[in-house]
Amino acid sequence: MTQYTISVQGAPGNNGATGTSGLNGVNSAANNTGQNGANGTYTPGSFFSHSKCNCATNGTNGANGIGDAGKGGDGDNGGRCPNLNLYVNEFQVSEAAAVVNILIEGGKGGDGGPGGTGGNGDTGGNAGTNASQCANGRCQPAQGGQGGNGTNGGQGGNAGNGSDGGDLYGYYTTSNVLRPVFIQPNGGDPGNPGNPGTAGQGGKGGQNELLPGQTEPTYAFPGNNGLQMGGGGSGNAGNPGVINFKQKQS
């Protein structure tokens, strides 16, 4: 079956922009983040003095991510569909089974932008190592630094609304002209809500000092992951337009 279509549509709304991302944490000596601990030392005693242990120090915590990610931009509403004024005498369609569609549709709403990505935490510093002469209880085992915390991901942007369908005004002169014609003044569909941004990941913990006889290393706790916020809000569909298409009275 052959179909002929007259289409008048509103412009689609623009999609929302992606939210700004948080910054990853970066370890630095100036901020004392993610620095390795110093190794311990042992000084032997003498006839006049006792031996001395300077214990190893812990690694410092990793740098935290900086700033939560931004919310995605909202989608724009769909463009208003123009009205259609249609004055016809008779549709001349060669195929007997052909169908004529008149679409007067509102514009689709724009999609919400995705939320930005949270910043990651950096790795904690490794523990220093104590001198073997001091590992018998004179010094506590040094610990690695905890990983830095990640920041929150951004919320998704809201979907734009669909616009209303256009109105049809007109007349026809031949009484059977409506038989093959389908008029659809549909409202525009809403856009899709924006997805939430990915949360920043906590940094890995630094390595703890190996205990005597220990072969497999252990690590300090990783940093906390940021939170993943929700998606954007849903939009609304547009309302259908009005049809006022009548037979002209002679």
Side-chain angles (χ1 to χ4, degrees):
M1 180 176 60
T2 304
Q3 296 198 35
Y4 298 94
T5 300
I6 300 172
S7 179
V8 180
Q9 293 182 315
N14 294 320
N15 297 332
T18 301
T20 56
S21 295
L23 299 177
N24 295 334
V26 179
N27 293 332
S28 71
N31 294 324
N32 196 30
T33 51
Q35 302 302 298
N36 295 333
N39 293 330
T41 60
Y42 172 75
T43 304
S46 67
F47 181 80
F48 299 102
S49 63
H50 297 290
S51 62
K52 182 179 179 181
C53 286
N54 287 322
C55 297
T57 60
N58 298 330
T60 62
N61 293 344
N64 296 327
I66 301 172
D68 291 338
K71 177 181 178 292
D74 295 339
D76 292 336
N77 294 335
R80 178 70 166 84
C81 180
N83 295 330
L84 176 63
N85 297 314
L86 184 63
Y87 303 94
V88 298
N89 180 41
E90 183 178 6
F91 283 103
Q92 298 294 331
V93 180
S94 59
E95 296 90 347
V99 172
V100 176
N101 298 302
I102 301 177
L103 305 179
I104 320 172
E105 296 182 322
K108 179 183 181 297
D111 296 338
T117 301
N120 298 325
D122 210 343
T123 304
N126 296 327
T129 301
N130 283 297
S132 59
Q133 299 90 336
C134 303
N136 55 0
R138 298 178 67 179
C139 287
Q140 295 296 318
Q143 304 296 311
Q146 183 173 326
N149 297 326
T151 65
N152 298 332
Q155 183 176 352
N158 298 324
N161 298 325
S163 68
D164 294 341
D167 300 332
L168 173 64
Y169 300 98
Y171 63 81
Y172 58 91
T173 58
T174 303
S175 60
N176 66 350
V177 72
L178 286 181
R179 181 175 56 83
V181 178
F182 295 93
I183 302 173
Q184 302 178 56
N186 302 325
D189 294 328
N192 299 308
N195 293 321
T198 302
Q201 301 298 299
K204 295 179 180 180
Q207 182 175 323
N208 300 321
E209 181 184 7
L210 290 172
L211 301 177
Q214 182 182 356
T215 57
E216 293 297 326
T218 61
Y219 296 88
F221 290 113
N224 296 320
N225 295 333
L227 300 177
Q228 181 165 319
M229 312 307 285
S234 300
N236 297 315
N239 297 313
V242 175
I243 300 175
N244 189 2
F245 195 47
K246 300 179 179 179
Q247 185 174 7
K248 183 179 179 180
Q249 304 298 319
S250 57

